[in-house]
Amino acid sequence: MAATVEELYRNYGILADEKEDLSKHKDAYQVILDGVKGGPKEKRLAAQFIPKFFSSFPELADAAINAQLDLCEDEDVSIRRQAIKELPRFASGENLPRVADILTQLLQTGCLFASLKANTAEFHSFNESAFLKESSESVIHNYPFIKTVTFFIPE
């Protein structure tokens, strides 16, 4: 069953307020994961909330990554953009190769740039080189073992 905006905020509050052991609120995180089955508002919130608490629920890692991936493929460009923007937060430990594969697939299929360029007004203000520079700097900053990032953009 899809979660409502109110349920998402309530469960976000439960997790955000917990100071000691987030893992005892697995049900609250599951409600946030169920947000991907809702409408556009619920999906946007889920795209932000899922990665925020991802590391506290390793037993739900596959479900969380799958939920975020569903949002990366959403028909709404703003939901896709938010979900794709948050993907690097899942890239740690044993999840790193899977997230790298997902990002590679998105780049190969053009979904990454298509999601950023789908809105005509945004297209005119979109600076592809600035995006690439910011993305590569972010990857290098967040993952110090990566020294160089190269983007190949199909024409």
Side-chain angles (χ1 to χ4, degrees):
M1 185 166 131
T4 65
V5 169
E6 293 79 17
E7 291 172 322
L8 289 168
Y9 276 119
R10 183 173 58 251
N11 286 283
Y12 174 88
I14 290 169
L15 295 173
D17 291 343
E18 179 60 48
K19 303 295 181 211
E20 295 177 21
D21 185 16
L22 280 175
S23 65
K24 67 183 179 183
H25 297 292
K26 184 178 173 181
D27 55 333
Y29 191 62
Q30 185 62 55
V31 170
I32 290 173
L33 294 178
D34 291 340
V36 302
K37 301 173 190 167
K41 291 177 183 177
E42 290 83 3
K43 289 178 180 180
R44 268 189 220 97
L45 288 174
Q48 295 171 45
F49 295 170
I50 291 170
K52 181 164 180 68
F53 301 107
F54 173 74
S55 62
S56 298
F57 298 95
E59 69 280 5
L60 293 174
D62 283 339
I65 292 172
N66 288 336
Q68 197 77 8
L69 184 55
D70 286 346
L71 295 171
C72 289
E73 298 170 344
D74 196 85
E75 61 188 38
D76 184 326
V77 67
S78 65
I79 294 168
R80 281 198 314 268
R81 186 182 325 112
Q82 181 67 44
I84 291 169
K85 177 183 169 190
E86 300 292 346
L87 274 178
R89 295 178 72 179
F90 294 89
S92 62
E94 64 186 41
N95 298 314
L96 182 61
R98 182 172 179 202
V99 174
D101 286 345
I102 292 167
L103 287 170
T104 301
Q105 289 171 15
L106 289 169
L107 281 169
Q108 287 174 340
T109 62
C111 290
L112 181 57
F113 291 105
S115 71
L116 293 168
K117 291 184 175 179
N119 183 315
T120 305
E122 291 174 16
F123 175 75
H124 293 297
S125 65
F126 178 70
N127 182 333
E128 201 166 273
S129 62
F131 170 78
L132 293 175
K133 182 177 184 295
E134 183 179 317
S135 297
S136 60
E137 287 173 355
S138 174
V139 168
I140 291 169
H141 174 74
N142 291 322
Y143 307 99
F145 56 88
I146 297 175
K147 300 296 181 204
T148 305
V149 176
T150 305
F151 289 94
F152 296 96
I153 304 171
E155 296 192 29

